[in-house]
Each structure stands twice: as structure tokens, then as C-alpha cells.
Amino acid sequence: MAKSEPQFMPARFERITKCRACGADKLTPFLDLGVTPFADRLVELHELHDPEPAAPLTVAFCEGCSLVQILDTVEPEDLFDRAYPYYSSFSPALLDHSRENVLDIIDRRTLDESAFVIELASNDGYLLKNYVDAGMRVLGIDPAPGPVAAAEEAGVSSMLAFFTEELADRVAGEHGRADVIHANNVLAHVADTNGFVAGISKIVKDDGVVVIEAPYVRDLIDHVEFDTIYHEHLLYLSVTAVDHLFRRHGLYLNDVKHLSIHGGSLRYYFEPQENVGKAVKTLLREEDELGVNTIKFYTDFSSRVDTLRSDLKTLLISLKEKGASIAAYGAAAKGATMINCTGLDTSILDFVVDRNTHKQGKYMPGGKLPVLPPEALVERKPDYALMLAWNFADEIMRQQTAYREQGGKFIIPVPKPRIV
């Protein structure tokens, strides 16, 4: 199929001029990915020929508090109010990861059935159901109707709402304050950064703990993970920036763990009392020594992104010219960024597969690649599959043994394109 330029229409967005966390007007842009469609907004069949909403995607560094952030804020209702397609329970690796997280917290805090646990951005109840199984009272808060309904059906008490400082007052009044608060991969989604953290401080007990996971900006930069940048991800976090942010609201970063999930993440442990541990001090020192809290750490990132995109597209075109067929695995948001910022469409990739049944039968934003079930790899036998969901590469390749045994190969795009 001949390549056609995607049709976009301006989305509702607002460009910031001051840092989302500290308010300083010292924002220095270091990466411009152009105007892109919303990464999680899959296209329905009847929308195939309609213009898609799109907005600029520019990343900047705050010289006031070291927070990396995108400059344009899309209206959250436009990003999340539609049939939000992400359901955490479709990833066995994420389920295992979440269960380990819960069991660790239960052990660390010696929790019993009297404990109350809140999760912000609780999705389909994938994490909280581990607490439910342990007999504990839980409350999930999430703005996406589909996942919330799935959580309720799974026995996880949930509230359909965006978490704000105002909602925190209501939650504390109606449900009480929590022994544990989880917030995985959501802090970066919230435009009112200070309001979100202030809200957290209102619903955690004085002897409680706040456990937050987020991709680590140091891994993003080191491994050229530019595809983790999209409109939902307003922030890209370092220990230095997070420490500044939470201290402002009376919460102290007392422990931290480096995790391999999602290309490199940190699990932060905040408490209302300060007792900073060795792991936090070590990472703060490393960031200072590496210059993570200076713009110099980020200045050559744009050229490294350009090199990766060029190398990947050159590889794919070379394979096509040799007669190879190429599909892709993973209709995730990072996949949309990879496709659209590398200029991939149906002239290069034939289709995308994904285990999430809520995504199947739809099309990737921008590139308009059809999303099929994973079985299509074995049935249609593409010579190669571009691993868009590279953060779960090991899990996916184990699942796709049949495809690999019939000669299929995967292409891992980051930190540099390679065939496996």
C-alpha cells in the first residue's frame, strides 16, 4: 500500500511557560517530536478516514527543580474519557510484578485484615485484588469507565473519578485515611502536579506509606527510550526532582528500589516522617555526579533519537526491499510514538498484534495499522515482527515460540535496532 500522510486536526491543549512542580520559568526544551496524535486513542473502523486530534510533543528540563516535562497539556477528558483501551490484567508479567509489590508491602508493614489500601489509577483492579485476597479493605480511584467496571466485577471497590486535592477531602471524610497508598505510572499523567501530591498527603495516615512507581528518566535517556514520551506522560522523573516535589507537601522519600519493568523504573516509598535510607542517598549522589540535575545530561538526546529513528527505518525499508513481510507486536502507547515519530505505516508494516481484546479490530493512531490477535503471527507468517512492546520482550517471545519455530524473527528497536 502506498504511503499516505496522516490527517490531523488541532487538539485542545495549553502550553506551559512555568514548571509544573516548582513554578520556575526556567524551562529549556531539548527534544521536539513534532505534532503527534494521542498515543492511546485507537481508531475505530468508521473513523479511518477522519482527521485525528493531535498536539505538539516537546520535552523540556526545569533548571529550578530538575523536573523533565512536556510543554503542552492536552485536556485530560480528551485523553481518558473515550473507551480507554489499556487493561493491566492482560500482561502476566505485570500481574506477577504487582503481586510481588503487594506481598512485599504486607511484609514490610506487617499489615493485617484491619488495613485500608487506596490505589490511584487503579485500572481494572489488577493490583488491589491481591489485597482483597488477603482480606483487606481497598478503594480504587480511576477515571476510565471500562477498567473501573472490570475492577468492580472482580470484587475491587472502585470510584470513577480523576483524583484531585478536592476529591482527597471527600475520600478522607467518607472512607478514612489509608495505611498504604499505591500510585503506579500515574504521577506523570497529572497536569496539577502539586494538587495531586497535596491530595495524597491528605489521605495517608501519619504512620502510613505512599508507594509510587514511575519510569526512571535516567534509563530513558541512557537507553534512548523516546517512545515512552507521549501526551499522557507529562513528567519524566528523577530522584532529585521527586524528592523536591514531595518534600514540598510534607512527604519524605525514605526508600527507593530500581526495577527493570517498563525499560527501567523506580519504586518510591514516601512517609510523613523523614527517615531517608541509604538507597535514596546513593541515587541522589549518583544523579549529582552524572549531572542528571543539569541540562547538560539531556543536550545530545535529540541527536541520539534521530539516529535511532533513522537506523530503524533504514533497517525496515531494507528488509522490505528484499521482499520480507513485517508486522509489529504491541498496540501500546509507546508503539504509537515509535510508529508515528519514525514515519511507519502500512507501506512498511502490515499489521500490529496485541493480546488485549479491547484493542483488537481497531487501528493504531496515525499509521492506521490494523490491530489483530497475536495468533495472526502464526497464521499470516510475517518474516519479522517489530517489538513495539519491547518492555515485555522476554515474556512475549516466550509466548510466541510457535511463531519463532516457523522462522519468524523479532526486531527490538531500543536502545539500537537489532534482530533476534
Side-chain angles (χ1 to χ4, degrees):
M1 182 181 292
K3 176 178 172 61
S4 59
E5 292 298 322
Q7 299 298 310
F8 298 141
M9 62 181 179
R12 296 187 299 166
F13 67 90
E14 181 177 353
R15 172 152 290 202
I16 61 171
T17 58
K18 295 183 178 180
C19 175
R20 300 176 189 276
C22 73
D25 57 359
K26 301 176 181 179
L27 295 176
T28 304
F30 64 87
L31 177 67
D32 186 350
L33 293 175
V35 175
T36 71
F38 304 158
D40 257 324
R41 189 186 187 279
L42 296 178
V43 177
E44 304 278 359
L45 177 62
H46 69 272
E47 301 173 314
L48 264 181
H49 303 292
D50 298 340
E52 297 177 68
L57 199 52
T58 306
V59 190
F61 173 79
C62 174
E63 297 184 38
C65 69
S66 305
L67 182 64
V68 174
Q69 55 207 284
I70 65 171
L71 294 180
D72 297 290
T73 308
V74 175
E75 289 289 334
E77 290 79 11
D78 291 348
L79 292 175
F80 299 102
D81 201 32
R82 213 174 129 94
Y84 190 62
Y86 183 73
Y87 288 71
S88 299
S89 292
F90 279 96
S91 170
L94 185 57
L95 291 179
D96 291 343
H97 172 83
S98 302
R99 178 171 173 76
E100 173 274 325
N101 187 359
V102 170
L103 293 177
D104 177 65
I105 287 294
I106 290 175
D107 181 62
R108 275 174 173 249
R109 313 293 294 192
T110 59
L111 301 179
D112 56 26
E113 293 183 359
S114 67
F116 176 39
V117 182
I118 294 175
E119 184 181 11
L120 311 179
S122 49
N123 199 258
D124 59 8
Y126 72 106
L127 182 144
L128 286 180
K129 65 184 178 183
N130 293 292
Y131 287 107
V132 173
D133 291 344
M136 299 178 193
R137 183 166 66 99
V138 304
L139 176 66
I141 302 173
D142 196 283
V148 166
E152 287 280 356
E153 188 173 346
V156 176
S157 178
S158 301
M159 177 184 294
L160 180 64
F162 285 98
F163 180 73
T164 62
E165 187 174 0
E166 292 72 26
L167 183 65
D169 290 323
R170 175 184 156 195
V171 169
E174 295 180 0
H175 300 273
R177 293 192 295 163
D179 297 277
V180 181
I181 297 173
H182 285 278
N184 291 341
N185 301 301
V186 62
L187 177 60
H189 291 186
V190 183
D192 182 10
T193 306
N194 285 292
F196 187 80
V197 179
I200 290 174
S201 70
K202 290 183 174 183
I203 59 172
V204 64
K205 289 181 178 178
D206 292 341
D207 60 351
V209 64
V210 181
V211 186
I212 291 180
E213 285 188 22
Y216 190 19
V217 73
R218 182 172 156 189
D219 291 316
L220 186 159
I221 299 298
D222 286 347
H223 304 143
V224 204
E225 297 168 357
F226 77 94
D227 54 337
T228 61
I229 298 169
Y230 40 91
H231 298 105
E232 290 173 16
H233 283 180
L234 301 171
L235 314 177
Y236 302 87
L237 306 172
S238 65
V239 180
T240 302
V242 165
D243 187 46
H244 287 321
L245 171 61
F246 278 77
R247 280 178 177 272
R248 192 174 297 119
H249 300 281
L251 292 171
Y252 300 94
L253 179 58
N254 289 336
D255 198 7
V256 63
K257 283 185 178 180
H258 193 212
L259 310 168
S260 61
I261 195 166
H262 300 313
S265 298
L266 292 182
R267 181 182 294 161
Y268 302 94
Y269 300 85
F270 301 94
E271 295 172 294
Q273 291 79 34
E274 185 172 10
N275 184 23
V276 180
K278 180 180 178 181
V280 175
K281 294 176 181 177
T282 297
L283 281 176
L284 285 172
R285 183 177 64 252
E286 287 179 2
E287 289 187 357
D288 185 58
E289 291 171 352
L290 290 169
V292 174
N293 54 357
T294 69
I295 187 60
K296 291 181 181 178
F297 184 75
Y298 306 91
T299 49
D300 71 338
F301 186 61
S302 180
S303 62
R304 292 165 60 211
V305 170
D306 289 343
T307 298
L308 189 153
R309 291 190 294 182
S310 175
D311 289 349
L312 177 60
K313 192 165 187 179
T314 297
L315 171 62
L316 296 176
I317 290 175
S318 172
L319 293 173
K320 289 292 288 186
E321 289 175 345
K322 294 175 183 176
S325 54
I326 311 172
Y329 196 112
K334 60 161 42 71
T337 295
M338 181 67 71
I339 286 171
N340 289 304
C341 294
T342 308
L344 308 180
D345 60 11
T346 50
S347 68
I348 296 175
L349 302 175
D350 297 331
F351 57 89
V352 178
V353 301
D354 199 286
R355 294 184 71 215
N356 188 336
T357 54
H358 300 278
K359 297 182 179 183
Q360 295 165 9
K362 299 179 182 179
Y363 297 79
M364 293 293 287
K368 303 293 178 65
L369 295 154
V371 182
L372 307 178
E375 292 77 17
L377 289 183
V378 173
E379 294 166 359
R380 301 196 179 196
K381 300 179 174 62
D383 299 299
Y384 298 90
L386 174 63
M387 186 70 79
L388 297 175
W390 49 260
N391 50 319
F392 293 118
D394 292 341
E395 173 189 350
I396 290 167
M397 287 193 287
R398 284 195 301 269
Q399 293 168 358
Q400 292 300 319
T401 301
Y403 169 64
R404 301 183 79 191
E405 286 178 347
Q406 70 182 22
K409 294 182 174 62
F410 281 99
I411 301 169
I412 310 293
V414 297
K416 60 175 59 176
R418 64 194 188 281
I419 298 172
V420 297

